[in-house]
Amino acid sequence: QGLAPHWDDVEVFVLQLSGEKAWSLHASTSASALPPEAQALPRQTSGDLPLESLSPPLLHPKLAPGDLLYLPRGVIHHAPNRSTERPSVHLTISAFQQQTLFDLAAKTFEESMAQAWDRDIILRKALPWCALSPMTSDYPRVCAALAAQLQRLADDARAE
């Protein structure tokens, strides 16, 4: 028995090693809080999805030993082994996990902020109480300081 229907946050290559396996590939699910058009290119793996929540299948590829199937990130898939006579074994190879512009920006920001922490004491000082509330007098000053810090980070990234 394969896994329940799900999508992955990675590109997946499936190599069928022995036996046969029929796959079902779907574009979206009603079990997600996201509308179908927003379910593409997910950041996280979905977890198990109910069969009745899936959109109609896009494809039903059947793999035999030596066959390779490519599943782009976010494609809902499942492949139950319906044979009671013969086991079915496949190898899953994942690629391109967290290789997006978002991930690059997050890593760059994290590294730049760590360097800034070491060199700029103002970043280590506590914010005034309630400074993140738009109704306080400190809020505009904190927003301006944050904008200035983000601009310095952007300038540093551009210089590299």
Side-chain angles (χ1 to χ4, degrees):
Q1 174 64 38
L3 297 174
H6 67 282
W7 70 63
D8 292 306
D9 61 339
V10 293
E11 309 286 310
V12 174
F13 295 88
V14 176
L15 178 62
Q16 188 68 28
L17 299 176
S18 69
E20 292 184 340
K21 194 167 284 177
W23 291 75
S24 290
L25 311 181
H26 305 264
S28 64
T29 175
S30 62
S32 172
L34 298 173
E37 62 276 5
Q39 293 178 27
L41 302 177
R43 177 123 182 94
Q44 304 293 331
T45 299
S46 68
D48 294 353
L49 299 169
L51 274 173
E52 62 277 2
S53 75
L54 305 180
S55 63
L58 298 169
L59 292 171
H60 282 296
K62 186 173 183 180
L63 300 186
D67 289 345
L68 183 70
L69 176 64
Y70 167 68
L71 300 169
R73 178 170 47 127
V75 170
I76 298 169
H77 55 281
H78 60 108
N81 182 10
R82 292 183 171 90
S83 173
T84 57
E85 300 170 10
R86 191 165 177 207
S88 175
V89 179
H90 70 268
L91 173 68
T92 299
I93 302 165
S94 302
F96 294 106
Q97 186 168 25
Q98 298 181 352
Q99 295 290 316
T100 65
L101 185 57
F102 174 91
D103 298 301
L104 177 60
K107 185 67 174 166
T108 300
F109 181 78
E110 179 184 353
E111 289 175 6
S112 296
M113 284 303 295
Q115 293 170 6
W117 175 270
D118 292 339
R119 72 173 181 259
D120 192 348
I121 196 166
I122 197 75
L123 295 174
R124 299 190 299 263
K125 290 185 177 182
L127 294 173
W129 185 253
C130 294
L132 301 180
S133 175
M135 298 304 180
T136 65
S137 60
D138 289 319
Y139 185 74
R141 186 174 53 79
V142 170
C143 288
L146 177 59
Q149 181 60 38
L150 291 173
Q151 185 60 57
R152 282 192 292 276
L153 293 175
D155 293 343
D156 290 348
R158 194 175 290 112
E160 284 191 27

